[in-house]
């Protein structure tokens, strides 16, 4: 079992910045991939950014150049720095841990944290 504790999020004006963090605890195995997903009202959950334990990253096109994902393996923590936020970034953001770097292994989810960007 892996538990994910998210923090950060909140309300910000368009153009502003927010940061999220997610600390994993429990049965942490490597290699693995951690990441952030989001779900806006009435929409499906989508991948925002992922990072493997080796440091390889992947972003959805809509956040490239604005969001940066990073991790501290010693702390089993993943971060998401969000800059130049847009109203369309408004969603509940979920932290994800997957036991396989291809994302096809057993996975765990955080409880979600709200990010609201006002226009």
């Amino acid at each position: 079992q892996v538990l994910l504790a998210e923090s950060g999020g909140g309300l910000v004006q368009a153009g502003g910045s927010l940061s999220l963090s997610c600390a994993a605890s429990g049965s942490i195995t490597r290699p693995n991939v951690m990441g952030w997903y989001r779900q806006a009202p009435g929409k499906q959950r989508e991948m925002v950014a992922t990072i493997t334990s080796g440091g390889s990253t992947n972003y959805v096109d809509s956040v490239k150049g604005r969001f940066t994902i990073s991790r501290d393996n010693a702390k089993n923590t993943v971060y998401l720095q969000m800059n130049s936020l847009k109203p369309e970034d408004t969603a509940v953001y979920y932290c994800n841990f997957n036991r396989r770097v291809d994302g096809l292994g057993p996975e765990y989810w955080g409880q979600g944290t709200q990010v609201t960007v006002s226009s």
Side-chain angles (χ1 to χ4, degrees):
Q1 179 76 347
V2 174
L3 298 177
L4 301 172
E6 301 154 340
S7 60
L11 173 65
V12 67
Q13 288 189 331
S17 299
L18 283 173
S19 62
L20 305 178
S21 63
C22 172
S25 61
S27 179
I28 307 298
T29 54
R30 292 196 188 116
N32 60 60
V33 58
M34 295 184 72
W36 292 94
Y37 291 68
R38 66 187 179 187
Q39 187 166 20
K43 295 188 177 182
Q44 289 189 331
R45 189 175 297 188
E46 67 169 352
M47 185 278 292
V48 176
T50 62
I51 183 167
T52 69
S53 47
S56 296
T57 60
N58 188 35
Y59 296 90
V60 65
D61 286 347
S62 61
V63 308
K64 288 180 179 177
R66 300 189 297 123
F67 291 11
T68 302
I69 190 169
S70 61
R71 65 186 289 168
D72 183 335
N73 284 335
K75 297 180 179 179
N76 293 317
T77 299
V78 64
Y79 307 94
L80 185 68
Q81 178 64 41
M82 304 182 290
N83 299 328
S84 302
L85 282 160
K86 304 176 181 180
E88 51 263 43
D89 295 317
T90 295
V92 178
Y93 284 68
Y94 297 91
C95 180
N96 176 271
F97 176 98
N98 195 293
R99 295 195 183 278
R100 287 178 48 158
V101 294
D102 59 7
L104 298 178
E107 62 181 354
Y108 305 86
W109 293 93
Q111 78 281 4
T113 185
Q114 178 71 45
V115 171
T116 302
V117 184
S118 62
S119 57

